[in-house]
Structure formats: structure tokens, C-alpha cells
Amino acid sequence: MPALVPISTEHRLDRPQRLGFLPTLAFWRRRDVWKIAGPWAATFVGLWTVLLDLFMLGFVPAWASALLAGAGPVLFVGLLERYLRARLERRKILAQTGTRRV
């Protein structure tokens, strides 16, 4: 994963996530966030399409597959954002203290 060393993280961390796990649109509209999260998102989309195929084959009831198909991507993006925010906060603290971590 590329290093998360932004010049200023305040513009991405100024709005907290709703309920602690729902995605924040202001965070995901930034091009630099997508550079970091792109490979993770591409992997998820590939695996999610395979999983949706299994849902459509009838292994899961229709109502459950609709619920999983809608909630899965939202939860994934929200949890990925939570992880990235934690990394950015850590980087911000390290930058303020002058400690360099490799």
C-alpha cells in the first residue's frame, strides 16, 4: 500500500464518519484518496461480482441477496475509510511530533 503522507490531512478528517462506519462523500471525492484505495476497491469489486453471481444462482433467498448486495459495498467502503482515517491520524501525529516512521 502506498505511503499515506499527505501535505495536510485536515481537509479529509474534518468531518467524522456517521455512526463510525458509514462512508463520507467529502473524503471519497479526493483523487489522492482513490490513488491509495484504488487497488483495494478493484479487488473488492472483482470478488463482489463473483459473490453476487452466487446470490443470483439461488443459494441465498432473494430478499437476503438484495440486502447483501446493497449493504456489502457500503460497509466495505465505510470500513476502508475508517482504516484510512486511522492511518492518516497516525501520520498526522507522527508529523507533529517530528518522529519519522519508515
Side-chain angles (χ1 to χ4, degrees):
M1 182 177 228
L4 296 171
V5 187
I7 295 170
S8 172
T9 60
E10 286 80 21
H11 61 279
R12 279 176 264 149
L13 302 175
D14 58 349
R15 295 182 186 172
Q17 283 183 277
R18 288 181 231 130
L19 300 177
F21 64 90
L22 293 177
T24 308
L25 290 178
F27 184 83
W28 290 103
R29 286 186 183 143
R30 304 219 21 109
R31 185 176 299 213
D32 54 345
V33 169
W34 277 105
K35 282 183 182 178
I36 298 166
W40 291 95
T43 302
F44 176 77
V45 167
L47 293 174
W48 196 246
T49 53
V50 170
L51 193 60
L52 284 177
D53 187 40
L54 293 176
F55 292 158
M56 298 310 284
L57 290 176
F59 294 126
V60 179
W63 65 269
S65 94
L67 181 68
L68 291 171
V74 171
L75 290 176
F76 170 76
V77 170
L79 293 174
L80 181 59
E81 179 179 340
R82 187 171 174 91
Y83 170 74
L84 292 173
R85 283 176 176 266
R87 296 260 327 242
L88 288 169
E89 284 289 338
R90 242 183 286 137
R91 295 285 178 163
K92 182 176 154 184
I93 291 169
L94 289 174
Q96 288 173 350
T97 61
T99 308
R100 185 167 184 177
R101 183 176 164 205
V102 179

